[in-house]
Amino acid sequence: STMNIVILAAGQGKRMQSSIPKVLHPLAGKPMLGHVLDAVSLLSDAENIQPCVVIGHGGEAVQQYLLKHYPKTRVALQNEQKGTGHAVIQGLNQEVSEGITLVLYGDVPLIQRQTLKQLLDIASDGVLALLTQHVNNPTGYGRIVRNLNGEVVQIVEEKDADAQVKKITEINTGILACPTQELNHWLAQIEPNNTQGEYYLTDIVSLAANVHTPIRTTTPTFDWETQGVNSRAQLALLERVYQGHLAQDLLDSGVTIVDPARIDIRGSLECEPDVFIDIGCIFEGSVRLNTGVRIGPYCQIKNSTIDAGTQVHAFTHIDGAKIARDAVIGPYARIRPGAQIADQVHIGNFVEVKNADVGKGSKANHLSYIGDATVGEGVNIGAGTITCNYDGANKHRTVIEDGAFIGSDTQLVAPVRVGKNATIGAGTTLTKDAPAQKLTISRTKQASIDWQRPIKNKLMNDQ
Ligand code: UD1
Ligand code: CA
């Protein structure tokens, strides 16, 4: 492909009051710059495009992030921030002097693919395409100046604007696309003779108008797409706007969200119809909830799938798990990576499950740790049962076969196996395999002794 995509990210972001570069601050769990690169990667011939991020302040951290997550991306260093025009010059690939250039901002994270496509379609006709917006309060933005025929002739920055221009409510979002050959030509002509002493990218507009290059504008589908982030307050506001948008999509697809203002999706949440989500839940990574799943309040669910009809009660944490149908999990359960929970399993309050298969219909309803274990079907695990899976150096597996009954407060010292339909007496410390069908118990014999309880020393306590 013959295309340049230049993402400006050299600014310092002073108002973030942070040692982390602004564009690496996360929105919906992902750095702002990642959102922009993801939108770009959805463009039709994205495989052939090598976007370029212009870095400056905090450049090393940005570069490291890109290497790890977007290795195809180029970086260009802008040592001194001499303005947006100067930044674009740094970012243009000299080997790609034809086709179209798209200019984006690393701190305008929510630009959508559809809007970029609109701009590119316009620019493909040899046109300078500007993304503009009509706003109630245009203060701070560059203004779109049109002639009597309604044609764009200039962009004037706030700081260079007179009272008349300041009244214009159509603003420059900063995002634009145009033919690269012309852009190179215009950029060579811009000069820093303005209030800020900067090379303004926006000066290409009057240069284009002078040579009668057509200039056309388009607007984003959603107002929030072009919202820039300069402070943590703006980031927090944009986060809520975006979460609201994600919630709206889920509502439209047949999900009940008790309060769309109290949900956080940091990744992708895929839901079938008739999923129910109570307030205060956080979804991270990639989560799938099948039809009829109910998630109680204040749950945190990450990289997991939950099959139809399963109920997750309040304050449950689920991470890296597969939960089958019609199970009941929580309240206050913790399901950790490698947990595979079968149909109709019950995992109750203060039960932790890690790297364990729990078979169909099995129950662990209270205060247990099930780690590195294979639990068969129809097993009942009493309160306070613990798999002692770690010997201080290595992890070992516990196997509990179908129909076993584990009495309360049992310690299963792994590696150990409980046979089919075996019963383990309460309080047992199981260090050897328990045979099928039998009752296995390890317990000191109960005894009753005559005994006088100590009495409080009155003198001492009066002091
Ligand atoms: C710019 C536009 C203005 C528009 C506004 C939208 C110009 C001259 N003005 O103004 O018309 O309404 O954005 O928000 O383009 N950057 C660099 N290197 C630089 C300067 C900036 O990488 O030398 C980056 C910044 O990190 C930022 C972006 O470019 O991501 C925009 O810079 P900023 O200073 O915020 O531009 P504005 O003055 O707000
Ligand atoms: Ca600025």
Side-chain angles (χ1 to χ4, degrees):
S1 149
T2 51
M3 191 170 168
N4 272 282
I5 295 180
V6 181
I7 302 167
L8 305 190
Q12 184 168 16
K14 242 193 210 149
R15 279 196 277 157
M16 296 298 283
Q17 304 285 356
S18 177
S19 59
I20 301 160
K22 176 162 77 174
V23 295
L24 295 188
H25 280 258
L27 183 142
K30 180 165 65 188
M32 291 194 269
L33 184 55
H35 283 273
V36 178
L37 286 161
D38 286 350
V40 164
S41 76
L42 293 172
L43 293 170
S44 49
D45 52 353
E47 317 86 61
N48 308 315
I49 310 170
Q50 207 187 15
C52 179
V53 178
V54 180
I55 57 171
H57 285 280
E60 250 166 63
V62 175
Q63 209 166 352
Q64 261 167 29
Y65 170 74
L66 292 172
L67 261 174
K68 186 155 176 220
H69 298 276
Y70 301 90
K72 262 181 48 187
T73 307
R74 286 194 312 127
V75 295
L77 184 64
Q78 188 195 24
N79 271 317
E80 230 185 303
Q81 275 69 67
K82 296 184 187 169
T84 49
H86 180 257
V88 171
I89 293 172
Q90 314 309 308
L92 281 170
N93 187 347
Q94 292 315 313
E95 281 155 35
V96 185
S97 55
E98 309 255 303
I100 294 172
T101 294
L102 173 65
V103 178
L104 298 165
Y105 296 77
D107 58 0
V108 181
L110 295 182
I111 189 72
Q112 302 292 295
R113 184 193 72 98
Q114 191 49 43
T115 300
L116 296 181
K117 230 188 126 305
Q118 281 173 48
L119 267 182
L120 292 175
D121 284 350
I122 297 173
S124 69
D125 292 336
V127 168
L128 169 52
L130 303 174
L131 190 65
T132 72
Q133 240 169 340
H134 288 274
V135 296
N136 292 330
N137 178 12
T139 308
Y141 290 102
R143 306 298 205 284
I144 306 296
V145 181
R146 293 177 185 266
N147 66 16
L148 291 175
N149 297 327
E151 295 158 344
V152 176
V153 291
Q154 200 186 1
I155 294 178
V156 178
E157 293 304 302
E158 169 91 20
K159 285 178 177 148
D160 304 303
D162 59 27
Q164 196 64 24
V165 166
K166 279 184 181 160
K167 280 190 198 138
I168 298 172
T169 54
E170 186 184 5
I171 59 110
N172 173 34
T173 66
I175 294 168
L176 60 81
C178 65
T180 303
Q181 268 188 337
E182 277 92 333
L183 177 63
N184 270 313
H185 185 65
W186 297 324
L187 286 173
Q189 297 173 59
I190 59 174
E191 285 181 50
N193 44 21
N194 49 58
T195 316
Q196 302 189 79
E198 287 182 1
Y199 292 89
Y200 287 169
L201 174 62
T202 44
D203 282 355
I204 68 168
V205 173
S206 54
L207 291 167
N210 287 344
V211 295
H212 305 290
T213 299
I215 303 168
R216 282 178 51 198
T217 59
T218 185
T219 51
T221 311
F222 303 104
D223 288 350
W224 43 259
E225 284 184 59
T226 52
Q227 212 86 87
V229 172
N230 294 308
S231 65
R232 292 186 197 251
Q234 285 173 348
L235 182 56
L237 278 175
L238 197 55
E239 175 86 37
R240 288 335 306 164
V241 169
Y242 187 55
Q243 292 299 340
H245 166 73
L246 295 178
Q248 190 62 49
D249 275 354
L250 287 169
L251 291 167
D252 291 346
S253 72
V255 176
T256 296
I257 298 176
V258 171
D259 182 357
R262 281 183 287 174
I263 183 168
D264 283 89
I265 300 164
R266 301 171 190 162
S268 80
L269 173 59
E270 248 185 285
C271 293
E272 288 185 354
D274 295 316
V275 162
F276 172 98
I277 300 171
D278 215 324
I279 60 164
C281 292
I282 299 174
F283 299 91
E284 294 176 277
S286 125
V287 175
R288 185 180 167 85
L289 308 177
N290 287 350
T291 196
V293 164
R294 292 181 73 87
I295 309 293
Y298 302 107
C299 292
Q300 187 170 10
I301 302 179
K302 183 177 179 181
N303 294 327
S304 296
T305 59
I306 304 180
D307 208 348
T310 287
Q311 294 189 43
V312 177
H313 293 301
F315 299 105
T316 291
H317 289 199
I318 300 174
D319 179 5
K322 261 190 90 162
I323 300 174
R325 293 169 157 254
D326 301 316
V328 181
I329 313 289
Y332 298 101
R334 182 170 183 215
I335 315 293
R336 292 174 51 201
Q340 297 230 32
I341 313 271
D343 292 354
Q344 291 147 32
V345 164
H346 288 197
I347 303 289
N349 45 277
F350 306 107
V351 174
E352 177 177 344
V353 181
K354 185 217 77 173
N355 189 29
D357 292 349
V358 182
K360 186 173 177 184
S362 289
K363 292 179 181 161
N365 273 327
H366 336 263
L367 303 158
S368 285
Y369 174 56
I370 303 166
D372 301 308
T374 304
V375 178
E377 297 185 2
V379 169
N380 195 311
I381 296 177
T385 295
I386 289 169
T387 55
C388 308
N389 58 332
Y390 187 52
D391 61 13
N394 297 298
K395 300 267 172 79
H396 303 281
R397 214 157 170 91
T398 299
V399 177
I400 303 173
E401 294 183 6
D402 295 350
F405 180 100
I406 313 295
S408 296
D409 198 26
T410 292
Q411 297 114 54
L412 301 150
V413 182
V416 76
R417 173 180 289 263
V418 177
K420 203 167 174 181
N421 294 321
T423 302
I424 309 297
T428 293
T429 301
L430 198 70
T431 53
K432 288 177 288 198
D433 291 357
Q437 308 294 343
K438 294 192 174 169
L439 168 67
T440 299
I441 189 161
S442 85
R443 201 189 271 174
T444 46
K445 275 221 155 55
Q446 185 168 323
S448 301
I449 298 160
D450 290 329
W451 187 62
Q452 179 67 58
R453 229 191 258 172
I455 290 162
K456 267 191 187 167
N457 185 328
K458 198 135 190 13
L459 265 176
M460 293 262 289
N461 280 296
D462 281 352
Q463 281 174 2

